[in-house]
Amino acid sequence: MATLLIVDDELQVRKLLETLLQYEGYHTQSVATGEEALALVAEQPPDLILLDIMMPGMDGYEVANHLKNNPATANIPIIMLSALSEPSARVSGLQTGAEEFISKPVERVELWLRVRNLLRLKTYGDQLKNHSLMLEQQLRERGTETAKMNVHDLARLDLENALRQAVTAGEFTLHYQPKQSLSNGRVSGLEALLRWERPGYGTVSPAVFVPILEHLGLIVSVGRWVIEQACRQIALWQRSGIGAMEVSVNVSGHQLIEGDLIADIGRLLAQTSVEPHWLEVELTESSLMDNTQHTITSLQRLRAMGVKIAIDDFGTGYSSLAYLRRFPLDTLKIDIAFIREVTSNPQDAAIARTIIELAHSLGLRAVAEGVETAEQLAFLKQAGCDQLQGYLLSPPLPVAALERWLRDQRGL
Ligand SMILES: [Mg+2]
């Protein structure tokens, strides 16, 4: 967890900033003077500093100067706070080396976004620094162990470059995996899944490449492409004999925070003339637990548009039930880990049953993923699960194969 140091002579400002930042899950420390700040930073360097400009004694410019001129503390990002909104104050602050500037009174979302962005930059900078330190060490040692790490790093770098290329060359495709209603056996919807055939290598698992897209900052544009493709496909089916289908798309937490997911979805639905209820977004439990308040607000806007919302991989992310009630949701997808041994492991069976009951008591539908056997199906039916998805029904399919499969299902 990141530690933020707040330096401000006014008690109310310190209290307010602490409350806002702790609410977003950060650990905070606060001091009232520049002198105390320098002493504390020397002892335990924080991950980021919020620094008031006007303070009795040492002012914010002086503190920033000290920190930025010391190589040991120069990398700690500084956000300057000032009641002065004149450009000259801003320029002086930036001249001392501060990374950002916020005017008082502090606006909650702006504060949080600036803090978050700076912390991400710092993590990246730290990684680069560690990386070059490691390379230097490897050159010195030239041992077998470090040589292996070197190969690993090169492979990662190679993969990053290949992914950048994949984005510009449009190498991604979508496959669709059907879901079935357990009450009437009908196909109830599809999950759109991102596929990447790496030229010369074959299929790369999204579990491998999605985190790298997130790290490279490319997930927002790729995620937007996924939603666009899904909407276009719904529109095409609507005009064909197949008819419109409910499609769920997986959305990364980064799309909620860095991109304007809500505006993107609104625009893409309008462009393709798709009614919002045909689209569902799936978010993992852990991405909902980051920046909870902002996420709830975004999801409420999405829900108000009529788009459905699902929690993916539910049951492993330790979300509190109190939070769950606050999210506007339609669907809980039971984590595949509980389905795998649902017929042989009584604990997994109990958890799966509990999640289904929980979903129903909150007025949500429960979907089981990764269903592969008739025994699992029988269990889920008996437990009152609403929908299933998995190889027992169908693997994810490319569009043409899926359309054939749908026609077969309907006996056309
Ligand atoms: Mg999913």
Side-chain angles (χ1 to χ4, degrees), residues 191-193 248-250 282-284 312-313 333 369 389:
E191 177 175 1
L193 294 154
S248 14
V249 294
N250 293 284
E282 292 188 8
L283 284 138
T284 62
D312 211 356
D313 309 332
K333 292 188 88 173
E369 286 185 284
Q389 180 181 344

Side-chain angles (χ1 to χ4, degrees), residues 3-7 28-31 33-46 67:
T3 301
L4 314 185
L5 173 63
I6 298 161
V7 189
T28 62
Q29 289 179 308
S30 66
V31 294
T33 67
E35 290 82 355
E36 285 175 276
L38 291 181
L40 190 63
V41 172
E43 216 171 281
Q44 335 161 230
L67 294 173

Side-chain angles (χ1 to χ4, degrees), residues 129-351:
K129 205 171 96 189
N130 291 338
H131 188 75
S132 60
L133 285 176
M134 197 179 68
L135 285 179
E136 281 169 28
Q137 198 194 345
Q138 279 172 25
L139 283 174
R140 278 199 298 275
E141 292 180 6
R142 289 180 181 272
T144 2
E145 205 52 39
T146 46
K148 253 189 238 154
M149 287 189 69
N150 204 2
V151 168
H152 176 81
D153 284 343
L154 284 175
R156 162 87 186 206
L157 206 63
D158 191 37
L159 191 55
E160 288 185 1
N161 288 333
L163 272 169
R164 286 201 183 89
Q165 164 74 19
V167 171
T168 43
E171 290 169 8
F172 297 105
T173 53
L174 287 188
H175 285 194
Y176 294 87
Q177 187 170 34
K179 285 182 274 190
Q180 184 182 45
S181 156
L182 281 170
S183 62
N184 59 21
R186 291 206 192 111
V187 176
S188 51
L190 305 164
E191 177 175 1
L193 294 154
L194 189 58
R195 285 285 176 273
W196 179 38
E197 289 285 329
R198 183 176 174 190
Y201 284 78
T203 309
V204 182
S205 163
V208 170
F209 71 78
V210 168
I212 302 179
L213 286 177
E214 290 176 341
H215 170 79
L216 295 175
L218 295 171
I219 196 67
V220 174
S221 64
V222 174
R224 192 186 298 126
W225 176 85
V226 168
I227 296 165
E228 182 176 356
Q229 283 301 108
C231 289
R232 281 170 192 243
Q233 192 59 65
I234 298 169
L236 279 174
W237 283 328
Q238 189 152 28
R239 289 195 295 269
S240 76
I242 286 173
M245 304 280 295
E246 183 185 299
V247 175
S248 14
V249 294
N250 293 284
V251 165
S252 153
H254 291 252
Q255 286 170 266
L256 270 180
I257 289 152
E258 291 155 41
D260 197 347
L261 181 72
I262 318 300
D264 287 343
I265 289 181
R267 183 172 42 79
L268 293 170
L269 286 170
Q271 270 172 14
T272 51
S273 310
V274 166
E275 289 168 52
H277 67 91
W278 294 116
L279 188 68
E280 180 172 66
V281 298
E282 292 188 8
L283 284 138
T284 62
E285 213 179 340
S286 54
S287 70
L288 291 177
M289 290 305 128
D290 283 347
N291 307 298
T292 317
Q293 192 48 50
H294 175 75
T295 304
I296 290 175
T297 315
S298 305
L299 293 184
Q300 278 167 343
R301 287 173 55 201
L302 208 51
R303 190 78 180 313
M305 281 164 55
V307 173
K308 295 196 175 83
I309 298 165
I311 299 194
D312 211 356
D313 309 332
F314 185 77
T316 51
Y318 314 105
S319 53
S320 83
L321 295 182
Y323 268 146
L324 205 56
R325 279 180 47 239
R326 294 172 57 200
F327 290 111
L329 298 171
D330 299 274
T331 308
L332 288 189
K333 292 188 88 173
I334 308 167
D335 193 282
I336 199 165
F338 302 119
I339 303 299
R340 211 168 280 134
E341 294 178 22
V342 83
T343 52
S344 57
N345 181 332
Q347 281 177 342
D348 287 353
I351 292 173

